[in-house]
Amino acid sequence: MTALARKAQVVDTPSESAATSAFAADVVAGLTATPKRLPPKYFYDSVGSELFERITGLSEYYLTRCELEILNAHAREIADLVPSGAALIEFGSGSSTKTRVLLSTAKSLAAYVPVDISAEFLRRQAGSLRQEYPTVAMLPVAADFSKPFSLPESVERLPRAGFFPGSTIGNFEPHEAAAFLRHAARILGRGATFIVGVDLVKDPQVLQKAYNDSEGVTARFNLNLLARINRELGAKFHLDAFEHHAFFNRERSRIEMHLASLKRQRVKVCGECIDFRAGETIHTENSYKYSLESFGALARGAGWTTAAVWTDADKYFSVHALRLQDGPADGRAEKA
Ligand SMILES: C[S@@+](CC[C@H](N)C(=O)[O-])C[C@H]1O[C@@H](n2cnc3c(N)ncnc32)[C@H](O)[C@@H]1O
C-alpha cells in the first residue's frame, strides 16, 4: 500500500450544525416561495441514498443499466484517457458502482476522490472500496459539489480526471449545468478529461415509467424528503397526506418530480406555518434530457471540447469524454 493509499480520511465540510442550519434555511425559503420547491440535494441522507440504490436496480430505471452498458463496452478507451498516476475525482459518487469499471480498468490510478453530500453513506462506501482496491488511495470528501470545496492535499500535485455519471448533471437548470462545468474545469485543471453521463430525450412513455416505478420506490425516495425534514428539523409532515407526481415537461425537456398535497393543510416547519391548498405541489427535482448536440453545445460554451461520445444500443443514454484544452474558461485556476 502506498503512503497516499494510507492517507484516507473523510473531509467533512461544513460542520454538522452548520449543515443543519443551512438545511433549515433552504427548507423555509423553498416552502415559503411561490411555487413551493425544495433543492434535490436534500434527498440524499443515508435513507435517501439507500433508496436511490434500490431505484438503480429497478427494471423501469433504464439509466443505470444503459450507462453501465456503455462504460463496460468502452472501459479501455475511457481508461486510456486518464493519465497515469492521476487522481480520479467523482462528483456525486453514491455507491461508486460505475466507478468500479474505471477502477478495475485504469490500473495506474493513484487516488480516487469520491465527493458526495451524503456523508455517512460515503464513509461506508469508501470502507468497501479500500478493501477492493488496496493500491488506490481512497480519499472521500463529504461536500456539496456545486460549491467551492477543498480536495485532499495529497492530490494537489497529481494530474486529475473527473467522473460525473448518473445524469446528475440533468438535475441542474441548463445555465447551472454550464456553471458547474466551469467550476469542474477549475477543480480538474488544464488538460483534464471529464467523463460525464447524460440522459437523452426519448419516448415520453419510457421516461414516465422510469420515474413512476411499479414498486413505488421512487415515490418513497421523493417522500423521504418530508420524512427527513421531520427527522432533522422536527416538522410534522403526514406523509400519507402527500403524493409523488412525476411527469415529462416536453417544452422544457425535463422530468419534473413534485410532492402534491392531497388536502388543504397547515404544517409547522422551523417555527413557520406553511399552508398548502389541496393539489398544491412542492417541486422537488428536475431531470433535464439532452440531445447529443445540445449537451455538446452546453459543454463547449463552458470551455470543454468533446473528445468522444458513446451511447447504448437503444440510444437512451450517453457518456461524453470532455477535454479541457486551454485551462478553465475564465482563466482562473482554483486551488483544490
Ligand atoms: C443521481 S445520484 C447518482 C449516483 C451515482 N453517481 C450513480 O451514477 O449511480 C446523485 C448522487 O449525487 C449526490 N449529490 C446530489 N447532489 C449533490 C451535491 N450538491 N453535492 C454533492 N453530492 C450530491 C447524491 O448524494 C447521490 O449520491
Side-chain angles (χ1 to χ4, degrees), residues 173-174 201-205 207-208 211-212 245-258 283 285-290:
E173 291 295 330
V201 180
K202 61 183 65 61
D203 178 353
Q205 276 195 7
L207 288 168
Q208 194 86 9
Y211 294 85
N212 290 285
H245 282 187
F247 57 89
F248 185 55
N249 179 336
R250 200 186 288 259
E251 216 167 274
R252 310 289 299 271
S253 193
R254 69 188 192 196
I255 284 280
E256 293 187 13
M257 288 212 320
H258 294 252
H283 190 168
E285 189 181 67
N286 289 318
S287 295
Y288 278 86
K289 309 301 169 188
Y290 289 91

Side-chain angles (χ1 to χ4, degrees), residues 22-336:
F23 180 35
D26 286 348
V27 166
V28 170
L31 294 182
T32 52
T34 310
K36 293 179 171 56
R37 55 180 169 262
L38 288 170
K41 64 182 177 184
Y42 292 120
F43 281 136
Y44 298 96
D45 61 351
S46 291
V47 178
S49 294
E50 294 289 354
L51 283 167
F52 182 76
E53 267 317 287
R54 288 200 48 204
I55 290 173
T56 63
L58 295 167
S59 57
E60 296 101 328
Y61 198 74
Y62 62 85
L63 292 88
T64 304
R65 201 173 48 251
C66 293
E67 192 171 21
L68 273 171
E69 176 188 320
I70 300 167
L71 293 173
N72 279 314
H74 301 282
R76 187 69 271 153
E77 288 158 84
I78 296 172
D80 286 347
L81 294 169
V82 177
S84 176
L88 180 68
I89 322 281
E90 180 170 355
F91 301 89
S93 49
S95 64
S96 301
T97 303
K98 295 161 189 166
T99 328
R100 281 172 168 81
V101 178
L102 302 187
L103 290 170
S104 302
T105 317
K107 299 281 182 212
S108 64
L109 267 184
Y112 170 50
V113 183
V115 181
D116 206 287
I117 203 160
S118 188
E120 177 50 31
F121 192 78
L122 174 69
R123 197 184 57 75
R124 274 187 273 132
Q125 302 307 318
S128 312
L129 286 163
R130 257 174 224 130
Q131 295 195 335
E132 285 173 59
Y133 301 94
T135 59
V136 181
M138 296 295 166
L139 304 166
V141 172
D144 181 339
F145 57 50
S146 60
K147 303 207 164 128
F149 63 89
S150 303
L151 287 178
E153 255 181 56
S154 48
V155 305
E156 254 178 34
R157 267 177 275 281
L158 300 182
R160 296 168 201 166
F163 190 37
F164 195 29
S167 207
T168 307
I169 197 156
N171 298 144
F172 288 122
E173 291 295 330
H175 72 279
E176 294 169 344
F180 175 80
L181 288 172
R182 284 191 287 273
H183 168 61
R186 289 193 291 274
I187 293 170
L188 299 173
R190 191 182 296 272
T193 295
F194 194 16
I195 308 295
V196 185
V198 181
D199 197 17
L200 299 175
V201 180
K202 61 183 65 61
D203 178 353
Q205 276 195 7
V206 175
L207 288 168
Q208 194 86 9
K209 275 192 181 166
Y211 294 85
N212 290 285
D213 65 276
S214 52
E215 288 177 46
V217 187
T218 313
R220 258 182 285 156
F221 174 72
N222 199 3
L223 283 161
N224 176 56
L225 194 43
L226 300 184
R228 181 179 182 188
I229 296 171
N230 286 349
R231 279 193 297 274
E232 295 184 24
L233 304 178
K236 295 226 164 16
F237 279 104
H238 292 289
L239 300 199
D240 50 9
F242 288 86
E243 195 172 68
H244 165 73
H245 282 187
F247 57 89
F248 185 55
N249 179 336
R250 200 186 288 259
E251 216 167 274
R252 310 289 299 271
S253 193
R254 69 188 192 196
I255 284 280
E256 293 187 13
M257 288 212 320
H258 294 252
L259 288 164
S261 177
L262 293 176
K263 58 180 187 187
R264 195 163 159 241
Q265 55 181 317
R266 170 171 287 182
V267 184
K268 208 162 176 191
V269 184
C270 302
E272 295 276 339
C273 289
I274 311 293
D275 289 313
F276 291 88
R277 298 184 312 275
E280 185 178 2
T281 76
I282 310 171
H283 190 168
T284 52
E285 189 181 67
N286 289 318
S287 295
Y288 278 86
K289 309 301 169 188
Y290 289 91
S291 64
L292 297 179
E293 295 73 25
S294 64
F295 186 75
L298 183 90
R300 225 172 15 259
W304 293 89
T305 306
T306 302
V309 188
W310 302 278
T311 64
D312 58 295
D314 291 323
K315 295 201 166 40
Y316 277 5
F317 201 91
S318 60
V319 172
H320 300 243
L322 306 178
R323 288 308 276 267
L324 193 60
Q325 307 291 15
D326 306 317
D330 60 7
R332 276 189 302 133
E334 189 166 281
K335 187 183 174 303

